[in-house]
Amino acid sequence: MIEQPPFGIEQLDHIVLRVRDVDVMLEFYQDVLGCTLEKVQSGPGLYQLRAGSALIDMVPVDGQLGRQGGAAPGTEGRNLDHLCLSVSPFDGDAIIAYLRRKGAEPGPVESRYGAQGQGPSIYVPDPENNVVELKGPPAEAPTEQGSGR
């Protein structure tokens, strides 16, 4: 029998992105996605953005913390596959039009499975090609379970 841990996971607390250009990335996450800058720790090089109940942390690759992670992310090696943000309300056409007005290049609305169930989502790359999934609420009707990405 597998021993269970003495705790339960409640939700995602934060994600950390190693970034090449923190100013461009902060602009995208604040001005395009609507995150708010919550805390800056300039000594170690840590920028913390509020994303709902979670945080998106950014560490410049040339800063104290960022240097610990090795080479900078690029097209041949990213820091993660994607991060997913639940959004509400979800109007796919309006979201895509908005993202395009902001200079982003979103993909189409597709149905994907996430923590709340099967529902609509849009992938959009940030300025350093990290993929951000904007996930809507689950569909009303039960659907076949699949995987996000």
Side-chain angles (χ1 to χ4, degrees), residues 118-131:
Q118 190 78 27
S121 79
I122 297 169
Y123 285 154
V124 60
D126 72 16
E128 294 191 3
N129 288 319
N130 295 296
V131 177

